Amino acid sequence: MLKLKDVSKTFHGKENIDAVKHVNLEIQEGEIFGLIGFSGAGKSTLIRMINLLERPSQGQVWIDGIELTALNEKELRKIRKKIGMIFQHFNLMRSRTIAQNIAYPLKRRTFWRKNDPEAWSKNEIQQKVAHLLKLVELEDKANAYPSELSGGQKQRVAIARALANDPKILLCDEATSALDPQTTQSILKLLKQVNQTLGITIVLITHEMGVIKEICDRVGVMEDGEIKELGNVVDVFADPKETITRNFIATTSNISKIYELVKQRSEITVLRPGERMVLLSYNTINTNQALISQISRDYEVDANIIFGNIEVLQNKPLGRLVVIFSGKEENIASAIERLKAKEVKVEEIETW
Amino acid sequence: MVELLIQIFPNLAKLGDEFVEAIGDTLQMILFSGAASFILGTFFGVVLIVTRKNGILQNRLIYNVLDKAINVIRSIPYLILMMMIIPLSRILMGTGIGVKGAIVPLVFGTVPFFARQIETAIAEVDKGLIEASQAMGSSPWEIIFRVYLKESIPSIARVTMVTAVNLVGLTAMAGALGSGGLGDFAIRYGYQRNMTDMTYASVIVILIMVSIIQMIGNLIIRKTSH
């Protein structure tokens, strides 16, 4: 439903900056698509090109078979009403109450718009706002001002406002980056609910892998204005191809710490003769079996799990374990072969 | 009460009527030139904001012309500006003296200052808000009225108050060129005829006017800030 065709954006200044370079991207109806990247990767520019807050220097933006990049300002404004957007700093109007903020994007029926079929009467607006307030669970705050709300509540208001014109797409620009972890969870839950109950396609950008992990179906990893890696969240997590992706994944798991411990010759990483330390990575296909206890029995090796990280992504477990095997050399070798046969990725960790 | 007043201000007895008339003239000047300046100044202030670089209706030519014009007019000392504008006032108002003749010079003295103040006030509106309203499909017209102006009402009230106080000062200065009003009154009687009590009387009335302006301004600011 949403298609970016070869879009680029160059900012002209003292130096020209290529913020986004030849990005091709297709987003399906009803999915939650996440773009992750460090600041300066171009993700913010990219998401702004979807509703043309930034006009691409090159390329086309298509939504539902309409080329946005070919529309004039007036037509574009009409389409924008069907693309909701929320921001890192909420961007609510201080001078308006919560109810008035949510009603802002609704076209009011006025004297000179008496017969406009898209205009809303006062009554209709009131009902719509009440409905939206209920959706974001802020019924009691209708007449409060934004300054009286917490960050999480402000973002809820922003979501309600973004949904006022029943959009098909919701763009989230670092929507949880200014929130604490707990509030982030509740906002993500609300977004997921919006996606599932209203069928709204969500495109979000973030620098937190946790957000991607929590709600996204697919993820794109951005660096230097390009999408370096793209795929299902589970696939990308289970088998990252690019260094930048691995770095992001490392931020949400503690497994990379083992290498530091090895470097520091931490006690737990010191091996006795005959022992081997390996990193096992496994995903859905092989997690149903009690593999470790099985091989331990079958090959008479002891498996000492010293470090581990197990994620549940889209209801599928994804694990990484650091294990020290001890036993007869040939037994350890056969045990490892057995693991490999079960499609567990085995990486030897070199120690001193 | 009246006795007491006459004791303190001995010349008020014979000049009372003229004094009241002067107060009326000053109020008229403030009201008319104030209203005109408010509308024109707000208009030019908004034009500055929307046409500036990265503004919603960016236009270098309009911005630069307006920006320079304001700077030039503001750098002319007001007394000289008033004299320069007398011919224009004759064309527009039919006269260069009296309350009617003072309106045009007062507007010229106030608008550039007020436009700058409005520009600063509106510039405080978070640019994220503008981005959000653009994303919601607002037209430039809507953004000006429903976001820029609406969001900066407290700031606009503040700068209007400052400008109005400034304007009271200008009306007094206009007295030097025969505009009538309290400035004129204080010059003619207080200064030229050495009736110091009349100078003080004028000052007191002006002080009261300024206080009332500030009271109203603060009230609006308090009521509209959230």
Side-chain angles (χ1 to χ4, degrees):
Chain A
M1 72 169 309
L2 168 64
K3 224 187 281 179
L4 300 179
K5 278 191 194 166
D6 194 33
V7 294
S8 300
K9 177 76 186 183
T10 308
F11 289 108
H12 300 282
K14 273 184 198 151
E15 285 169 61
N16 288 348
I17 300 160
D18 297 316
V20 174
K21 301 171 197 162
H22 305 284
V23 166
N24 283 291
L25 182 63
E26 226 173 292
I27 291 165
Q28 309 304 324
E29 187 150 0
E31 79 171 325
I32 303 184
F33 182 86
L35 265 176
I36 188 164
F38 292 112
S39 45
K43 55 190 194 308
S44 212
T45 308
L46 188 65
I47 201 169
R48 278 171 174 68
M49 287 201 283
I50 294 175
N51 60 1
L52 261 60
L53 282 179
E54 293 285 1
R55 274 200 180 264
S57 312
Q58 188 203 324
Q60 302 172 343
V61 179
W62 290 77
I63 290 178
D64 275 341
I66 299 169
E67 192 198 335
L68 265 57
T69 30
L71 299 178
N72 65 31
E73 282 293 320
K74 205 175 167 193
E75 293 164 326
L76 180 62
R77 286 203 290 269
K78 213 166 162 186
I79 297 270
R80 276 181 179 161
K81 289 189 191 291
K82 294 290 175 193
I83 309 173
M85 189 166 189
I86 59 174
F87 303 85
Q88 179 173 5
H89 297 297
F90 327 121
N91 296 344
L92 300 178
M93 297 178 200
R94 274 188 309 179
S95 66
R96 292 169 196 266
T97 63
I98 300 315
Q100 288 166 344
N101 263 289
I102 296 174
Y104 174 86
L106 297 172
K107 200 197 258 185
R108 272 172 307 172
R109 180 163 295 159
T110 51
F111 182 74
W112 54 89
R113 276 204 296 249
K114 240 186 210 156
N115 300 315
D116 189 334
E118 282 164 34
W120 299 61
S121 73
K122 215 175 158 185
N123 227 335
E124 290 168 329
I125 290 182
Q126 243 172 24
Q127 280 174 11
K128 182 76 187 180
V129 170
H131 173 76
L132 289 163
L133 278 170
K134 194 164 173 226
L135 180 78
V136 299
E137 294 167 23
L138 286 175
E139 293 107 312
D140 52 332
K141 299 286 184 200
N143 296 316
Y145 284 90
S147 57
E148 301 163 46
L149 266 54
S150 69
Q153 289 173 325
K154 283 184 199 165
Q155 196 59 290
R156 283 171 181 274
V157 176
I159 291 172
R161 180 177 69 175
L163 297 177
N165 275 313
D166 299 312
K168 298 178 121 177
I169 304 176
L170 180 63
L171 307 175
C172 309
D173 176 15
E174 297 274 10
T176 58
S177 299
L179 304 174
D180 62 62
Q182 214 176 347
T183 315
T184 294
Q185 288 303 318
S186 82
I187 293 294
L188 292 178
K189 221 174 106 190
L190 177 60
L191 289 175
K192 185 111 202 167
Q193 183 199 338
V194 161
N195 167 258
Q196 285 174 343
T197 58
L198 305 175
I200 294 174
T201 310
I202 295 181
V203 181
L204 63 86
I205 63 170
T206 179
H207 61 262
E208 293 166 304
M209 206 59 182
V211 171
I212 301 280
K213 222 162 64 180
E214 195 67 33
I215 62 167
C216 291
D217 302 313
R218 283 199 308 148
V219 60
V221 184
M222 260 192 110
E223 194 183 25
D224 292 334
E226 293 172 49
I227 296 184
K228 296 271 176 169
E229 191 161 357
L230 183 75
N232 276 326
V233 170
V234 180
D235 298 343
V236 170
F237 262 83
D239 189 15
K241 302 268 189 303
E242 301 285 331
T243 322
I244 171 91
T245 317
R246 287 207 197 101
N247 288 344
F248 269 118
I249 292 172
T251 60
T252 65
S253 88
N254 53 5
I255 215 77
S256 56
K257 209 174 162 192
I258 189 70
Y259 296 100
E260 264 167 56
L261 290 175
V262 169
K263 227 189 241 170
Q264 292 161 7
R265 303 190 193 195
S266 157
E267 241 172 87
I268 60 161
T269 66
V270 175
L271 300 183
R272 279 176 297 235
E275 286 183 337
R276 283 171 78 179
M277 180 157 54
V278 291
L279 169 64
L280 307 178
S281 312
Y282 57 89
N283 55 37
T284 29
I285 321 157
N286 35 44
T287 34
N288 305 342
Q289 301 163 15
L291 261 180
I292 293 203
S293 37
Q294 249 178 41
I295 57 166
S296 167
R297 264 196 314 267
D298 295 357
Y299 300 97
E300 290 180 354
V301 293
D302 288 325
N304 178 15
I305 299 173
I306 59 165
F307 222 81
N309 191 65
I310 297 165
E311 311 264 12
V312 178
L313 278 181
Q314 295 169 4
N315 293 322
K316 296 162 190 164
L318 197 65
R320 286 202 170 81
L321 298 175
V322 176
V323 180
I324 296 176
F325 286 121
S326 49
K328 282 190 192 142
E329 202 185 322
E330 62 269 24
N331 286 359
I332 294 177
S334 339
I336 287 175
E337 281 316 305
R338 169 83 171 274
L339 286 169
K340 282 183 180 166
K342 291 282 183 188
E343 285 180 39
V344 174
K345 231 166 91 184
V346 182
E347 284 169 62
E348 196 90 22
I349 296 175
E350 298 293 333
T351 56
W352 297 92
Chain B
M1 182 71 190
V2 177
E3 305 252 309
L4 183 72
L5 270 178
I6 289 173
Q7 244 176 21
I8 303 172
F9 303 108
N11 293 304
L12 201 60
K14 56 178 190 293
L15 292 174
D17 291 347
E18 219 172 314
F19 186 58
V20 172
E21 198 184 321
I23 295 174
D25 285 353
T26 293
L27 286 177
Q28 275 185 44
M29 283 191 281
I30 292 172
L31 211 68
F32 290 125
S33 56
S37 303
F38 182 79
I39 293 166
L40 288 172
T42 306
F43 173 76
F44 288 126
V46 167
V47 171
L48 281 172
I49 285 288
V50 297
T51 58
R52 69 176 173 183
K53 196 165 177 254
N54 297 327
I56 55 172
L57 296 168
Q58 187 178 331
N59 186 316
R60 270 181 68 181
L61 180 73
I62 294 179
Y63 179 82
N64 281 327
V65 169
L66 192 57
D67 185 55
K68 300 288 176 305
I70 287 174
N71 285 348
V72 168
I73 297 177
R74 280 192 68 191
S75 59
I76 302 173
Y78 185 62
L79 209 62
I80 299 170
L81 181 73
M82 275 196 305
M83 295 189 294
M84 285 168 67
I85 288 168
I86 288 176
L88 182 70
S89 180
R90 287 211 187 97
I91 296 169
L92 289 175
M93 307 294 289
T95 174
I97 56 162
V99 171
K100 240 173 133 186
I103 304 255
V104 177
L106 284 173
V107 168
F108 264 78
T110 308
V111 167
F113 176 73
F114 190 54
R116 275 281 180 249
Q117 297 271 319
I118 289 286
E119 183 192 14
T120 322
I122 297 179
E124 284 167 21
V125 174
D126 185 354
K127 90 182 192 308
L129 275 187
I130 305 307
E131 194 177 38
S133 39
Q134 282 178 319
M136 288 186 276
S138 295
S139 63
W141 204 246
E142 281 180 288
I143 293 175
I144 290 170
F145 283 98
R146 298 184 63 199
V147 186
Y148 271 138
L149 291 177
K150 167 103 175 134
E151 278 295 295
S152 36
I153 288 173
S155 308
I156 291 175
R158 181 170 43 81
V159 302
T160 304
M161 187 171 82
V162 171
T163 310
V165 170
N166 209 34
L167 179 62
V168 173
L170 294 189
T171 61
M173 219 190 290
L177 285 188
S179 71
L182 284 168
D184 177 52
F185 183 84
I187 291 171
R188 272 191 293 128
Y189 296 104
Y191 178 66
Q192 288 165 352
R193 291 183 211 174
N194 223 1
M195 300 174 175
T196 319
D197 61 325
M198 286 300 93
T199 307
Y200 290 135
S202 305
V203 168
I204 288 170
V205 172
I206 288 175
L207 223 68
I208 292 170
M209 286 180 184
V210 169
S211 305
I212 291 174
I213 290 170
Q214 281 176 334
M215 248 169 55
I216 296 172
N218 286 330
L219 189 76
I220 295 174
I221 294 172
R222 216 177 37 238
K223 290 273 174 207
T224 54
S225 304
H226 301 289

